[in-house]
Amino acid sequence: MSVRINASELITQATSILRRNDQTGYTAPSPRLYPHQWNWDSAFAAIGWAHLDWNRAVREIDTLLSAQWIDGFLPHIRYNPAVGEGYHPGPEWWPNVPVRNPGEQTSGISQPPVLPTAIYLVGMMQPDVDARRTWWARLLTPLRDMILCYLRTRTVNGSPLIAVVHPWESGADNSPRWDFATGRGFKPSRAYRRTDTQVVAATQRPTERDYGLYMYLVELIAGHRYDFRQYLEMTPFAVYDALFNAIWFRAAVDLNRIALALGESPVVSAEILSGFKDAFHRFLWNQSAQLFRDFDVKAAGQIPVDTVAGLGAIYGGLVDQAKAESMFAGYLARCRGFKLLPSTLPDEPQFEADRYWRGPVWVPINWLVVRGLQDLGLTSHAAALADETVSLVLRSGWFEYFHPHTGEGLGGRDFSWTAALVVDLLRRPVS
Ligand code: 2M8
């Protein structure tokens, strides 16, 4: 079919996007809109690079890890000082970040920890087993520090689930899941200036109300020196995000695979993993929606909005095949005939078809679900979703996100994770 015929042309286009977005050592998600290095974007970029130039994938990961903090924390942005004022908020909003490498400038929050899984996959794409093991051995300590840091610094009340403290940490910034907090009208004490709406239509971006909360939280978090326990009492935002936690679980399992291949003991014990899985089901499963939901730690209750984050457990390997299949079918049944996983279900009142994380389709999210379905043996569902995803890009271009009804490309152009993950779907087909 058309996708197969065009595979090599698509890979050529994707390669030229990745090369153009290459900022000497890291891949900007889309240089005008997001000129710095982003955490999960770089993990996805590395997966794409590994098919094209394995050493370039290694470099991507090295630059990302150079932003690591003393305690192992891996921030969501590593700033490139050469960029100047092209992106808001710049490093001046995140003073005194405790970086390992003096001179690095970073944000003070994190992002979904795809990186350990990306390192596992990139390693498996290196046919020279000695080279793979040498590389993994070099990364084991920073990865161990990174994955355990979340358990040490972001858990509360004895639960192993990880609290996300800013919508930007979820990666799904303006998801309606977070409206409970944005609706409260928070604003920072200092004026801020938006750069995003100079590049992308404001109708496709978060609102001023969203940014009010974002910047309020930046001040709160930085004002307490990035110590969650210091601001937990006063923050309006601490949630167990169903997608973030599923990604952490998969990362822990993949990191254990790396450790095993190196003859080391597991980084995260079987006991912790099993306690985590129990808590994930206990706190986040919603029986009436038949989907996982997020949990508001402050209000001690689930957030009643159904989004694609609820399918994250499929990628995480937190459900068995039968449950994955019924969750996936249930999601599609609520999509009104569209197979491409809108980020928010269209039957939710806050659904907006072209506004960022409130409805559009995202290639990295589809990719997570494809790989999760595949790993659970749901090959035909995985292959169909992979095919739909690649066809969407073929039809509409290399956009940041896509209208779930028309397929029109939205947001930033020539987007790195779209390019990288299409390469991976084509080069590592499901069947
Ligand atoms: C978007 O988030 C940034 C803030 O981190 C922004 O809007 O300025 C999100 O889509 C996020 O998931 C992504 O990592 C980032 C870069 O692509 O852009």
Side-chain angles (χ1 to χ4, degrees):
M1 60 183 288
S2 58
V3 172
R4 241 158 263 147
I5 292 166
N6 285 289
S8 81
E9 169 57 19
L10 277 176
I11 289 173
T12 305
Q13 287 178 22
T15 307
S16 82
I17 288 170
L18 290 174
R19 293 212 185 283
R20 275 204 306 279
N21 293 353
D22 186 347
Q23 311 292 306
T24 330
Y26 77 92
T27 315
S30 184
R32 262 195 80 205
L33 183 60
Y34 309 119
H36 302 288
Q37 182 167 24
W38 262 259
N39 184 328
W40 71 333
D41 296 68
S42 261
F44 288 128
I47 294 169
W49 277 118
H51 293 283
L52 309 169
D53 176 350
W54 196 80
N55 289 323
R56 180 62 189 74
V58 167
R59 181 118 197 262
E60 186 78 27
I61 289 163
D62 281 341
T63 54
L64 182 59
L65 283 170
S66 69
Q68 193 163 29
W69 288 8
I70 291 164
D71 68 354
F73 185 78
L74 195 65
H76 102 296
I77 298 176
R78 172 179 171 266
Y79 288 103
N80 175 357
V83 163
E85 301 203 333
Y87 177 79
H88 174 85
E92 66 283 3
W93 286 82
W94 306 107
N96 306 313
V97 283
V99 289
R100 282 185 180 176
N101 296 320
E104 287 288 343
Q105 295 180 323
T106 77
S107 69
I109 53 172
S110 194
Q111 253 192 337
V114 175
L115 184 66
T117 298
I119 290 172
Y120 176 70
L121 294 175
V122 170
M124 294 307 287
M125 285 188 242
Q126 170 55 261
D128 177 340
V129 177
D130 287 339
R132 176 196 303 163
R133 285 168 53 94
T134 305
W135 181 58
W136 278 348
R138 178 162 74 73
L139 298 184
L140 189 59
T141 300
L143 287 181
R144 178 188 287 124
D145 293 351
M146 172 200 164
I147 210 78
L148 296 179
C149 177
Y150 293 110
L151 294 183
R152 227 182 25 253
T153 63
R154 289 297 188 81
T155 50
V156 278
N157 304 331
S159 164
L161 296 182
I162 295 153
V164 160
V165 298
H166 193 294
W168 285 335
E169 283 201 326
S170 74
D173 308 354
N174 70 339
S175 172
R177 297 179 279 153
W178 317 141
D179 286 4
F180 76 90
T182 38
R184 291 172 60 189
F186 290 98
K187 289 195 176 67
S189 68
R190 288 172 286 162
Y192 62 91
R193 166 189 66 86
R194 288 183 65 172
T195 48
D196 59 326
T197 44
Q198 290 162 19
V199 186
V200 171
T203 53
Q204 295 171 21
R205 291 289 306 173
T207 61
E208 282 311 322
R209 208 180 54 171
D210 296 323
Y211 263 80
L213 174 73
Y214 300 161
M215 299 315 297
Y216 173 86
L217 290 173
V218 168
E219 281 190 331
L220 180 77
I221 294 165
H224 289 87
R225 300 240 165 191
Y226 315 106
D227 182 348
F228 174 53
R229 315 221 186 264
Q230 299 294 319
Y231 59 79
L232 173 60
E233 281 301 311
M234 53 204 99
T235 185
F237 194 87
V239 300
Y240 297 146
D241 171 359
L243 181 61
F244 189 110
N245 276 278
I247 289 175
W248 182 89
F249 187 83
R250 165 98 186 229
V253 169
D254 286 333
L255 187 48
N256 282 352
R257 289 191 173 124
I258 292 174
L260 185 68
L262 295 172
E264 301 276 342
S265 45
V267 171
V268 184
S269 69
E271 195 189 342
I272 292 178
L273 288 177
S274 127
F276 189 97
K277 189 170 178 177
D278 286 351
F280 189 94
H281 282 260
R282 205 171 52 250
F283 281 87
L284 308 183
W285 178 247
N286 187 280
Q287 188 61 22
S288 63
Q290 289 291 301
L291 202 61
F292 291 92
R293 283 185 175 166
D294 313 279
F295 187 90
D296 179 347
V297 173
K298 300 301 294 285
Q302 286 188 350
I303 300 165
V305 185
D306 289 329
T307 72
V308 79
L311 297 180
I314 296 176
Y315 167 79
L318 285 149
V319 286
D320 63 18
Q321 192 193 60
K323 189 151 181 164
E325 188 162 31
S326 74
M327 283 164 56
F328 185 64
Y331 201 86
L332 292 184
R334 289 175 65 185
C335 283
R336 305 186 173 152
F338 298 96
K339 297 187 198 136
L340 276 164
L341 305 186
S343 43
T344 299
L345 275 166
D347 59 14
E348 288 289 352
Q350 305 99 313
F351 170 83
E352 288 182 75
D354 57 3
R355 200 188 282 281
Y356 209 37
W357 289 94
R358 299 176 79 83
V361 172
W362 292 75
V363 169
I365 299 298
N366 284 17
W367 182 90
L368 295 172
V369 178
V370 166
R371 295 307 183 201
L373 291 168
Q374 177 182 8
D375 292 349
L376 286 166
L378 294 167
T379 315
S380 61
H381 292 309
L385 182 59
D387 218 40
E388 293 272 351
T389 306
V390 175
S391 303
L392 176 68
V393 175
L394 180 66
R395 275 197 318 276
S396 304
W398 303 91
F399 282 86
E400 184 180 11
Y401 42 95
F402 300 86
H403 192 292
H405 298 162
T406 65
E408 180 197 353
L410 302 167
R413 289 164 184 272
D414 291 347
F415 216 81
S416 294
W417 65 20
T418 305
L421 296 176
V422 165
V423 170
D424 185 61
L425 291 174
L426 290 169
R427 285 278 176 89
R428 242 171 11 107
V430 168
S431 43

